[in-house]
Amino acid sequence: RESDSIGGGEGEDSIPLGIGSDDAAAEPAAAISESEDEVVTTADGIYSADVVNEDVFCELALDPVMVRDVQAAWAAYQKSAESPEAVAEALYSMMFDVAPGLQALFKTPRAILSMRLYRGVGSIISGLTVPANLKMSTEALGFLHLDYEVTAPRVLLFGDAITELLSVELGPQCTDAARKGLKIVLNYVGGGIIFVRRNYAQRLKILLSSWSAANKQSDAKHGGRDNAAEARVEQHAGGSGKAKAIKAEVGAEKHADGSVHLGVRRAADRDRNIAVPTTFSEMFRFNAAVMGFAGREWMDEVLTAFDAIVRNVANSYRMQEECDVLSLRLSSCEGPVDLSEFKAVMLASLRSLAPKGWDSDHEAAWCWLWGNVDRMLRAQMGKPAKRAVALGKLFKTLDDDFRTRYFREVYSDFFAMAPSGMDYFRQSTTRLLFVAGKVFSMTLDLYHLPDDVVTKLSALGLRHVGYGIPPELCGPLVCSYVSALRKSFPEQSDTSALEAFEWSLSLISRVLARVINEGSTLVMRAINSNSGKQLSKAVAFAPRSERAEWVLNVTVGSQSISPLMWAIEAGSLDAAEAIIKDLLTIRADRDRYYYGVDTLFERHSDIIQRLCLEAPVLLPVLLDGLIWRSRLTENGRRRVVYFLKHLVVRDDGGFAKAIEWITAHQNPNIVCHAVVSYLIDLVWNNVAARAFLYRKTWLLLTAIVFMLSQAVLNSGLHDTVSVNFYVRCMIFVFRCFIYMVSWPSLAMVHIKRGKMDFRSGNVVTIGCVKLPGHLFEFNSVASIALCLILFVMLLLCPIIRCFGHPSIDGRDLAFTERCVEGDVLLPAYSFFSMCGMLCYWALLADLAVFSNRVCAFALIFGHVMSEVGLFLLSLCFALLAFASATAALKEEDEDFSTIHMGMRAFLQMFLGMASSEQYEHLTHFPVLFTVVVVFCFVTGVYMVNLLVAQLACAYSETFEDMIGWARLKRGSVCVASMESVGPRRWRRFVESLRLDEPCEFGEGDVGMPGAIQMTEPAGLNITTTDLIRRFGGSTWPSAPWPEDDTVTDNTEDRMDRLEKLVKKVMKKVVESSVGGGKRNTGSASGGGSSLFSSTAKTKSSNGSSDQNNSQQDE
């Protein structure tokens, strides 16, 4: 049941691709009909342990006892090893030790190939219980080995190697039946690979090449992405070269349906403005309209899925999955579905797009493909709708209590079937029940919304790749769902609902397992183990032109995941650091430079923000990678290159947000980094400083006008009413400017910013009131306070109140403040005038940003104010305490008779404002005098000295980051000032940087664009090694980088090898003590120890370097 769920659900749905007849290369229709009459053949009849049968390929049915022994031996061998990687390494070594000639056939790196070998053998052994699934697995392997010279002697050597390994490692646990059964199944698989290669290799190449030719115009528009995808398909198929595309040229060759081509030509002649179809989709729709099939909704669904079907023709599992999903889409289409109509239009379109290369082989290949698709779709025709109805009725009868009991039973059965699953399901029970409910409801949603569910499954599978979930757990989980549901309805007469549930869950598990398999790369496994060393080894196998993509993008279907972002979110910071360092390492061969900064910022344009929020410790690593310094010096100067393009300008040409994100992070150490410091100074000196000065010029002008009208021109106005008329006129004009120009403009600024805050959601909630976020910034607080003060001054202005009223001396003076009502308002008005003047000077304090030293001093003044505030709080407490104590004495001294008078007297003493006569007077009151002495000692000696110590400590801590805080202030001013920079000025600045021109790493050494070059003093940052890793040899972009000889093993690597060696020795000691000195008798622990000892003995000279290094470390 487990394998059935993984392979294809119901038996009638597991339809192979027409493979099985002896004359498979004959007419496709005949091959298809013959494949339907296949019978299950026993191993004794056709397949044996000594002969590879490559003439017949049908289902293999081993004896159940033999299947059980083979699977038990494989499970015991896996348990005896430390990890799956150890099993993979042992299989790889044994295979090439027994048959060294096989090593020349494999070009894939050892780490990748060994894991493929391990997963392949495991899937074959697990599929023995269901012959149909085993045959489909063998078909898939055959399609992947089309370009490999697989022969019967090599198959026998491979089978002998695997069998010998299990026999040596397991001893008596590997029975004769297990050895025989393993040889039979391996010979069966090898014979099937040879059969598929001999009969279908050419046919698949024809399909892929003609499909590429039919879509070549679309490929050109999209930069050749489809061609690259085809090349990857060829590479997965083992091809050594790319398939040659057949040129698509609409000609006048006659075919069986020549009238269709005639119709196309006549339609083009009638209307020259109609564009000629150049892709398969366009030609298909055109021919469908001409042939009278326009408006068929189901045709559009098949056409949408046809590209995936063709490109996965070599993968029977994926092709079955695509056809199952397509059958769900077709069930929602109205009207009858006649698949023969699609075949006619498909062949006509292909003939039109590839007339020169079209021949009988092409006709046979495409008929064979569509025949298989037709059979798969017809097997499901009409069933999805009935299944959806039956399953919906079943779900309606299930209440919450039943679902809870059922989900608990699911996990109980699952943990019994796969105990290793408990290591991955670590969440709480309530969370597990929630997940089970999601899966349960997804089975019904799949029938109604197949596209949405498949998209969600792709995203879910990629997340499970990050979690490190093995796809082997999908089968037992499906079985647990199905078995638990069958237990709940043991007497169910109508099994249609149960079958619908099983089929839907099977399809979900296949999609999920495929996504996990396709997304489980070496990079993701290294991230799951949080090992920078493993990640470096993983990317070492990547082609040099695709190395950055390996660590930045894992795509399965329409979904993608970034290994770098996953490592950051999962907390695998060691792996994330290794990824960033690898991306930002400059590598070069003779032809070109390779540097991943462009790929990194194209994939993650917000990488700076993500690091600031989630992994600040990695931000210096990223910034270090953006600098290149030459090892050589010239005239006491060193060449330096800053790769700042993506930190300065966005892809659309606007100002990048890197400075905004860094300043919002408020880390004074990061902002002092050479890259960030140079970036802020670059933007400030060339663009932002001028915009900031223009903005502050208006504030400075209004401050001068305000100071003239309130503190300069009216300096003698309060003493006499006979002030010069012209002076009074100037005061009135200046105040009118403040009230009618400055105040309205200031109010409008805050109104606009408030609207922007509410629209962007930048609000702060206090109780039930929501306030704009900008109100809580220092400059905004001072500006709003000034706005309110100016409004109050407008209401209280004495000049306005004295209009039409005589002055206090009875004269009728214009613009005077000295009238009866003016004299009443003048004290309050002067108070608000003083407050407004202070607000103006507070806003002008930003001008200190022009000098980092002045700005740093001002910021330090603000940072130590907290200590002063604590001192003032303690002083107020002391004043209140001593004043209340002296008031309780009831002495005859009036200065201490009440609390408020006592506080005033004590404050005068603390500030040194008390006269000697007051102290002499206190001598007449001994108790009061004693209290005053204690107060002076506590406040004047103890508290003041404590304040000095606190200020000194606070200053010493702040002084280390003084320049950093000043640069943060300048960065925030830059961000605010860039809003007023015009597009033309910004474009001129970007063009002046010449970021599109290549930089120079030396005289005549032209590098990459996107950088700013400069020189620095040679002794400022001493560099003794070349920061560019240069390699010789081949310059082919698809070749991986050679091993870097300059990178030597560090102490950690040596300790790892020493630890492994100690473990081996301890296993041998335990084995000797338990087994009486016999290596291969008995227990699983002995098998586990011999796993590595036998492998180490049989290693060839090519694979013995790690063992030699371990011996040297010992």
Side-chain angles (χ1 to χ4, degrees), residues 384-406:
K386 298 178 181 178
R387 290 171 176 165
V389 173
L391 191 60
K393 292 181 179 179
L394 176 64
F395 281 8
K396 289 181 180 179
T397 61
L398 307 180
D399 56 10
D400 294 339
D401 294 337
F402 175 84
R403 290 172 183 261
T404 302
R405 294 193 304 271
Y406 168 70

Side-chain angles (χ1 to χ4, degrees), residues 737-780:
F737 174 81
I738 294 296
Y739 300 146
M740 301 178 63
V741 179
S742 176
W743 174 70
S745 62
L746 197 61
M748 290 301 299
V749 168
H750 288 288
I751 293 174
K752 291 181 180 178
R753 292 194 62 183
K755 289 182 178 179
M756 292 176 61
D757 287 343
F758 279 111
R759 290 175 182 176
S760 61
N762 181 24
V763 295
V764 177
T765 303
I766 300 178
C768 58
V769 180
K770 293 183 177 181
L771 299 176
H774 81 279
L775 297 182
F776 297 87
E777 301 173 2
F778 173 77
N779 286 346
S780 297

Side-chain angles (χ1 to χ4, degrees), residues 297 301 327-334 384-385 447-448 450:
E297 182 182 356
E301 296 291 348
S327 65
L328 296 175
R329 296 173 183 164
L330 294 179
S331 64
S332 62
C333 298
E334 299 179 357
Y447 289 103
H448 300 293

Side-chain angles (χ1 to χ4, degrees), residues 1020-1098:
L1020 186 60
N1021 296 282
I1022 299 177
T1023 305
T1024 58
T1025 59
D1026 191 358
L1027 298 182
I1028 301 176
R1029 296 185 182 179
R1030 302 183 184 273
F1031 299 89
S1034 173
T1035 62
W1036 190 251
S1038 60
W1041 291 108
E1043 185 177 356
D1044 193 355
D1045 297 333
T1046 61
V1047 180
T1048 58
D1049 292 342
N1050 53 22
T1051 305
E1052 184 180 355
D1053 297 334
R1054 294 177 179 271
M1055 292 302 297
D1056 289 342
R1057 289 198 298 270
L1058 180 60
E1059 183 180 0
K1060 291 180 181 179
L1061 185 61
V1062 172
K1063 288 182 179 179
K1064 292 180 184 179
V1065 174
M1066 293 300 297
K1067 285 185 178 181
K1068 291 180 181 179
V1069 173
V1070 173
E1071 178 187 0
S1072 300
S1073 61
V1074 174
K1078 296 181 181 180
R1079 296 180 55 83
N1080 296 321
T1081 58
S1083 64
S1085 63
S1089 60
S1090 63
L1091 167 70
F1092 301 99
S1093 60
S1094 62
T1095 302
K1097 284 184 178 182
T1098 56

Side-chain angles (χ1 to χ4, degrees), residues 434-444 477 481 501 505 508:
F434 171 78
V435 173
K438 286 290 186 179
V439 175
F440 196 67
S441 60
M442 196 177 291
T443 56
L444 182 60
L477 186 60
Y481 272 96
F501 178 75
L505 197 60
I508 290 174

Side-chain angles (χ1 to χ4, degrees), residues 803-824:
F803 275 143
H805 297 279
S807 62
I808 56 175
D809 58 357
R811 290 185 298 173
D812 190 9
L813 299 177
F815 310 126
T816 183
E817 290 183 340
R818 303 304 303 276
C819 64
V820 177
E821 187 175 359
D823 282 350
V824 175

Side-chain angles (χ1 to χ4, degrees), residues 71-114:
Q71 293 180 341
W74 178 251
Y77 177 60
Q78 288 179 297
K79 290 181 180 179
S80 66
E82 292 182 350
S83 62
E85 288 77 11
V87 178
E89 179 65 23
L91 289 174
Y92 185 93
S93 300
M94 177 61 74
M95 181 180 65
F96 290 144
D97 288 343
V98 175
L102 295 178
Q103 194 165 5
L105 299 176
F106 298 95
K107 308 298 182 184
T108 308
R110 178 170 182 156
I112 299 177
L113 182 59
S114 61

Side-chain angles (χ1 to χ4, degrees), residues 651-870:
D651 293 337
D652 59 357
F655 177 59
K657 292 187 175 183
I659 298 179
E660 179 181 352
W661 293 330
I662 293 174
T663 53
H665 184 48
Q666 291 294 301
N667 189 332
N669 296 322
I670 291 296
V671 81
C672 288
H673 193 278
V675 171
V676 181
S677 176
Y678 182 77
L679 173 66
I680 293 177
D681 291 342
L682 178 70
V683 177
W684 171 257
N685 295 328
N686 292 276
V687 183
R690 185 180 299 180
F692 174 74
L693 188 59
Y694 287 163
R695 190 177 60 179
K696 286 297 180 180
T697 300
W698 173 253
L699 179 64
L700 182 61
L701 175 63
T702 55
I704 293 174
V705 172
F706 186 84
M707 184 169 58
L708 289 174
S709 64
Q710 304 295 333
V712 177
L713 296 179
N714 66 343
S715 57
L717 187 60
H718 303 306
D719 298 330
T720 179
V721 295
S722 59
V723 178
N724 189 287
F725 172 75
Y726 298 102
V727 173
R728 297 199 304 271
C729 290
M730 292 178 63
I731 294 174
F732 177 74
V733 171
F734 287 160
R735 292 186 180 182
C736 289
F737 174 81
I738 294 296
Y739 300 146
M740 301 178 63
V741 179
S742 176
W743 174 70
S745 62
L746 197 61
M748 290 301 299
V749 168
H750 288 288
I751 293 174
K752 291 181 180 178
R753 292 194 62 183
K755 289 182 178 179
M756 292 176 61
D757 287 343
F758 279 111
R759 290 175 182 176
S760 61
N762 181 24
V763 295
V764 177
T765 303
I766 300 178
C768 58
V769 180
K770 293 183 177 181
L771 299 176
H774 81 279
L775 297 182
F776 297 87
E777 301 173 2
F778 173 77
N779 286 346
S780 297
V781 172
S783 181
I784 290 176
L786 177 61
C787 185
L788 296 177
I789 289 172
L790 293 180
F791 178 71
V792 174
M793 290 178 64
L794 173 63
L795 298 179
L796 300 178
C797 183
I799 296 180
I800 298 177
R801 294 305 182 96
C802 289
F803 275 143
H805 297 279
S807 62
I808 56 175
D809 58 357
R811 290 185 298 173
D812 190 9
L813 299 177
F815 310 126
T816 183
E817 290 183 340
R818 303 304 303 276
C819 64
V820 177
E821 187 175 359
D823 282 350
V824 175
L825 298 176
L826 190 59
Y829 180 80
S830 61
F831 171 78
F832 283 104
S833 176
M834 176 194 69
C835 295
M837 184 60 66
L838 293 177
C839 290
Y840 270 113
W841 284 110
L843 292 174
L844 290 175
D846 280 349
L847 293 175
V849 76
F850 282 96
S851 172
N852 281 331
R853 291 183 60 85
V854 176
C855 183
F857 175 79
L859 292 173
I860 287 180
F861 179 80
H863 282 215
V864 299
M865 281 300 295
S866 59
E867 308 297 333
V868 177
L870 292 175

